[in-house]
Amino acid sequence: MNTQRILLASRPAGLPTAAQFQFDSQELPAPAAGQVLLKTRYVSVDPYMRGRMSAAKSYVAPYEVGQPIAGGVVAEVVESQNPALPVGQVVVGNLPWQQYILSDGQGLNPVPADQAPLSYFLGLLGMPGLTAYFGLLDICQPKPGETVVVSGAAGAVGMIVGQLAKIQGARVIGTAGSDEKVAYLKQLGFDEAINYKTADLPAALAAAAPQGVDCYFDNVGGAITDAVYDLLNKHARITLCGQISTYNATETPVGPRPEGKLLKTSTRLQGFIVNDYLSRWPEGVKQLTEWYVQGKLQGEETITEGFDQIPAAFLGLFKGENTGKAIVKVA
Amino acid sequence: MNTQRILLASRPAGLPTAAQFQFDSQELPAPAAGQVLLKTRYVSVDPYMRGRMSAAKSYVAPYEVGQPIAGGVVAEVVESQNPALPVGQVVVGNLPWQQYILSDGQGLNPVPADQAPLSYFLGLLGMPGLTAYFGLLDICQPKPGETVVVSGAAGAVGMIVGQLAKIQGARVIGTAGSDEKVAYLKQLGFDEAINYKTADLPAALAAAAPQGVDCYFDNVGGAITDAVYDLLNKHARITLCGQISTYNATETPVGPRPEGKLLKTSTRLQGFIVNDYLSRWPEGVKQLTEWYVQGKLQGEETITEGFDQIPAAFLGLFKGENTGKAIVKVA
């Protein structure tokens, strides 16, 4: 069996480009005892992958130059020498960007394919959903009537955070980078949505949060965060989940020091990575699936088609091209 | 009874000066039923008072221009119409800068004068001690063998934080602003102490913390904090207790954005004010007193004499003149 692969060709300086990706093909042997051959169906592209392209130590190990890039993948078993994973079984796992993958089954989770579209197990019912679930409910803990601000609100995680905050009875304000995304957020039930590219951000946020901000779920960082810091209420909670505005910076980003503002409001800020919650994964999936089945949570995806379009879909994240989860449909 | 008072003459712009303080005298009537006349013995001067001199909303209400400045005071009952507070009783409370004070007894706490020098109830066994106690043990929660960094380590709070961290079995690094203070910290049991005014701070901190930093108790902010952020271990904890390096800033301080560093280490940062722990005050005083009586905790004070020297002692805080708690002995 011959498979296409996508390797990390070189580490990016600043914004990644197509030059970082190298396609090649590899011959895979037939599965040995205990192994399965997987056919890739859907590939997840996520902002955190930018961090793994750098050599610097971060919360996940760097990708190796010359090796396949890896991430969330939904795949189907097409040949099996493993009784636990029969042909036809759909699984989700952290897998290489390949059309076909040989696996010993370790780390593969069967997908309940009757409950939702397969791609949702990379979004609403996958890592982004769990990121929103634990990051908001465990760290921010919004109470009914409190004000929650979400940056990157139309992204894969942000759109779920906002819906979860509404389920908790909070007032929800989202920031996003286009009028289309703002309209989408309002349709999704956000109380206020702000286009950070066109609004006077500090004034717009202050107007949208007349009672101040109790919870801030940050996917973006930078100027949006600066504006939120000025509106924090006493005992505010901040989930620091992503900093996409700075991921491609080639110099250390500089800004107003936040410590004085966090001090005088007794704010708690927590750097958050969903991998710290692996032991509670089943609890989160169960609750998210329940809310989804009840119609309380919606998924939203921007789907690109074709294995060869994976790099373009990834690069599109940094241009704000996706609303909801960015997914590549491979087969 | 005539008393001297110290009023806030005007709000400072930047560093406060003697011009902010106005002495006057006031005639006090004899105590009515339920009242006591207090004679001030010791006055506490603290960095947080700088915040109260500004009009801006902070975690404590601003002082009023033309009214007495107030803070921690140890005083003795010299006339009493209140059976609960007999003549000779020594009390501690938040009281105005006056030589004599008329009080209805509200908010006054009797001092166990046999257990420690009276002034210690403004330091080791008072607000600074409790700030260290709850800020370190409740928020940072250092474990044996972990590395704790304390900025402003020779100050009223920092010197107690370091001792408490040693009691917990941690490795303790302090920063301070003179070689004398550094020597004092080493004598007090700190594993490492750094003069931030003369050292190459990032290099010195990295050398002092070869295992990285697990807990940071920050009284100072600014460049020291920037250097600590670069050394944080996974799941580090930061108690943001003070920011004395910025209290007199007339423009918004700017620096490298910390969010990326806090995110990739899953650090928790908590803005902290000891007033949030009022309900647990007795627990803290009991434990601190026990450790003091057992010889596990030492107090340290810089005592200035004379009511008229209170402004100078306060201004000295911002020149780093005090080692340990800055106290004014009035009578």
Side-chain angles (χ1 to χ4, degrees):
Chain A
M1 170 64 64
N2 189 276
T3 184
Q4 284 265 96
R5 308 190 302 171
I6 305 176
L7 315 178
L8 180 65
S10 60
R11 301 199 185 281
L15 195 65
T17 70
Q20 262 71 62
F21 304 95
Q22 180 192 340
F23 286 76
D24 79 350
S25 68
Q26 189 186 37
E27 195 61 29
L28 297 178
Q35 290 187 326
V36 294
L37 183 70
L38 300 172
K39 180 177 183 176
T40 295
R41 300 282 305 273
Y42 294 92
V43 166
S44 178
V45 290
D46 298 278
Y48 80 87
M49 294 173 164
R50 172 63 183 86
R52 298 192 65 185
M53 292 183 167
S54 297
K57 178 183 151 190
S58 184
Y59 50 74
V60 202
Y63 297 126
E64 297 293 333
V65 172
Q67 291 296 314
I69 293 168
V73 166
V74 166
E76 184 176 340
V77 177
V78 290
E79 291 182 33
S80 178
Q81 298 290 338
N82 183 331
L85 293 166
V87 169
Q89 174 70 54
V90 180
V91 297
V92 64
N94 190 69
L95 292 165
W97 286 0
Q98 299 183 183
Q99 282 182 301
Y100 291 91
I101 304 157
L102 204 58
S103 167
D104 62 4
Q106 291 279 328
L108 300 183
N109 291 302
V111 158
D114 54 331
Q115 296 198 323
L118 290 186
S119 55
Y120 276 32
F121 296 96
L122 299 174
L124 184 64
L125 306 179
M127 187 270 283
L130 292 156
T131 301
Y133 182 85
F134 292 114
L136 183 75
L137 302 185
D138 226 65
I139 297 177
C140 278
Q141 303 182 12
K143 297 179 195 68
E146 286 194 328
T147 297
V148 176
V149 174
V150 192
S151 62
V157 172
M159 61 157 290
I160 306 172
V161 171
Q163 293 181 81
L164 293 175
K166 289 305 296 180
I167 290 174
Q168 301 303 308
R171 172 176 173 78
V172 182
I173 302 163
T175 64
S178 75
D179 289 345
E180 291 69 25
K181 289 180 180 176
V182 162
Y184 164 69
L185 292 176
K186 289 196 173 155
Q187 173 233 311
L188 199 56
F190 280 62
D191 297 285
E192 302 278 349
I194 298 168
N195 181 343
Y196 73 88
K197 290 186 178 167
T198 56
D200 173 350
L201 199 59
L205 263 175
Q211 309 295 319
V213 174
D214 302 291
C215 301
Y216 177 40
F217 193 105
D218 184 24
N219 298 300
V220 177
I224 299 172
T225 294
D226 294 337
V228 174
Y229 284 155
D230 284 328
L231 299 171
L232 294 173
N233 287 332
K234 182 83 180 162
H235 294 127
R237 289 85 65 196
I238 298 177
T239 300
L240 209 55
C241 179
Q243 294 283 295
I244 196 171
S245 73
T246 69
Y247 288 170
N248 296 308
T250 49
E251 295 182 4
T252 305
V254 168
R257 288 190 183 276
E259 291 85 358
K261 297 168 187 174
L262 301 175
L263 172 57
K264 76 178 184 185
T265 54
S266 298
T267 291
R268 186 182 74 233
L269 178 153
Q270 173 78 60
F272 168 72
I273 174 168
V274 71
N275 288 354
D276 286 341
Y277 285 81
L278 284 180
S279 64
R280 292 178 56 192
W281 209 266
E283 164 201 337
V285 171
K286 183 165 178 286
Q287 180 62 77
L288 290 167
T289 304
E290 195 174 306
W291 280 329
Y292 170 67
V293 169
Q294 293 170 352
K296 292 183 180 171
L297 278 181
Q298 299 177 31
E300 174 76 15
E301 304 174 316
T302 297
I303 297 188
T304 306
E305 299 228 5
F307 184 78
D308 60 337
Q309 294 303 306
I310 294 174
F314 172 75
L315 297 175
L317 294 171
F318 302 99
K319 302 175 202 152
E321 287 177 356
N322 60 304
T323 297
K325 184 71 193 86
I327 295 280
V328 182
K329 183 178 181 188
V330 172
Chain B
M1 170 64 62
N2 189 276
T3 183
Q4 283 267 96
R5 308 190 301 171
I6 305 177
L7 316 178
L8 180 65
S10 60
R11 301 200 184 280
L15 195 66
T17 69
Q20 262 71 62
F21 304 95
Q22 181 192 341
F23 285 76
D24 81 348
S25 67
Q26 190 188 36
E27 195 62 30
L28 297 177
Q35 291 186 326
V36 293
L37 183 70
L38 300 172
K39 181 177 182 176
T40 295
R41 300 282 303 274
Y42 294 92
V43 165
S44 178
V45 291
D46 298 277
Y48 80 87
M49 295 174 163
R50 171 62 184 85
R52 298 192 67 185
M53 291 183 167
S54 297
K57 177 183 152 192
S58 184
Y59 49 74
V60 202
Y63 297 124
E64 298 292 334
V65 173
Q67 293 295 314
I69 294 168
V73 167
V74 166
E76 183 177 340
V77 177
V78 290
E79 291 181 31
S80 177
Q81 299 290 336
N82 182 331
L85 293 167
V87 169
Q89 174 70 54
V90 179
V91 297
V92 64
N94 190 67
L95 293 165
W97 285 1
Q98 299 183 182
Q99 284 183 298
Y100 291 91
I101 304 157
L102 204 58
S103 166
D104 62 5
Q106 290 280 328
L108 299 184
N109 290 301
V111 158
D114 54 332
Q115 296 198 322
L118 289 185
S119 54
Y120 276 32
F121 297 96
L122 299 174
L124 184 64
L125 307 178
M127 188 269 283
L130 292 155
T131 300
Y133 182 86
F134 292 114
L136 182 75
L137 301 185
D138 227 66
I139 296 177
C140 278
Q141 301 182 13
K143 298 179 196 67
E146 286 194 328
T147 298
V148 175
V149 175
V150 191
S151 63
V157 172
M159 60 158 288
I160 305 171
V161 170
Q163 294 181 80
L164 293 175
K166 287 306 296 179
I167 290 174
Q168 300 303 307
R171 172 175 172 80
V172 182
I173 302 162
T175 64
S178 75
D179 290 344
E180 290 70 24
K181 289 179 180 176
V182 162
Y184 164 68
L185 293 176
K186 290 196 173 155
Q187 173 233 311
L188 200 55
F190 280 63
D191 297 285
E192 300 278 349
I194 299 168
N195 181 344
Y196 72 88
K197 289 187 179 168
T198 56
D200 172 349
L201 199 56
L205 263 175
Q211 309 295 320
V213 174
D214 302 291
C215 302
Y216 176 39
F217 193 107
D218 184 23
N219 297 301
V220 175
I224 299 172
T225 294
D226 294 337
V228 174
Y229 284 154
D230 285 328
L231 299 172
L232 294 174
N233 287 333
K234 182 81 178 164
H235 295 129
R237 290 85 66 195
I238 299 176
T239 299
L240 208 54
C241 179
Q243 294 284 294
I244 195 171
S245 73
T246 69
Y247 290 169
N248 296 308
T250 50
E251 295 182 5
T252 305
V254 169
R257 288 192 182 275
E259 290 86 359
K261 297 168 187 174
L262 301 176
L263 172 57
K264 76 176 184 185
T265 53
S266 298
T267 291
R268 186 180 76 234
L269 178 153
Q270 174 78 60
F272 168 72
I273 174 170
V274 70
N275 288 353
D276 287 342
Y277 285 80
L278 283 180
S279 65
R280 293 177 57 193
W281 209 264
E283 165 201 337
V285 170
K286 181 165 176 288
Q287 180 63 76
L288 290 167
T289 304
E290 196 173 306
W291 279 330
Y292 169 68
V293 169
Q294 292 170 352
K296 293 182 180 172
L297 278 180
Q298 299 178 29
E300 175 74 16
E301 304 175 314
T302 298
I303 298 188
T304 307
E305 300 228 4
F307 185 79
D308 60 337
Q309 293 303 307
I310 294 174
F314 172 74
L315 297 175
L317 294 171
F318 302 99
K319 300 176 205 155
E321 287 178 356
N322 59 304
T323 297
K325 183 72 193 86
I327 295 279
V328 182
K329 183 177 182 191
V330 173

